[in-house]
Amino acid sequence: MREAWSYPEIAHHIGVQTDTVRSYRRHGLLPEPDFVDDGGHPRWYPATIKAWARRRPGHR
């Protein structure tokens, strides 16, 4: 399986707290997960998040 990121990896990549990433998802600001793992946790491929991070308003 390809590498996939959870909330903490996304938070680290964009330089925010994990709870901020969760809030982004609740408010529809994060892309839909690429898949949900066997434990029911959303996962995103790095390329999905990197593309989103380049487009998000106020990106760093």
Side-chain angles (χ1 to χ4, degrees):
M1 179 184 276
R2 295 169 45 189
E3 175 189 12
W5 289 355
S6 62
Y7 292 119
E9 287 90 6
I10 295 169
H12 182 264
H13 179 73
I14 63 174
V16 300
Q17 297 294 316
T18 301
D19 285 342
T20 301
V21 178
R22 291 179 193 277
S23 177
Y24 287 170
R25 182 159 186 229
R26 279 194 307 274
H27 291 94
L29 302 174
L30 196 64
E32 286 298 313
D34 289 303
F35 66 95
V36 176
D37 68 15
D38 293 338
H41 302 103
R43 297 287 185 248
W44 294 261
Y45 294 125
T48 300
I49 295 303
K50 289 176 182 180
W52 166 79
R54 285 190 300 270
R55 297 187 312 266
R56 75 185 182 105
H59 75 281
R60 300 177 194 186

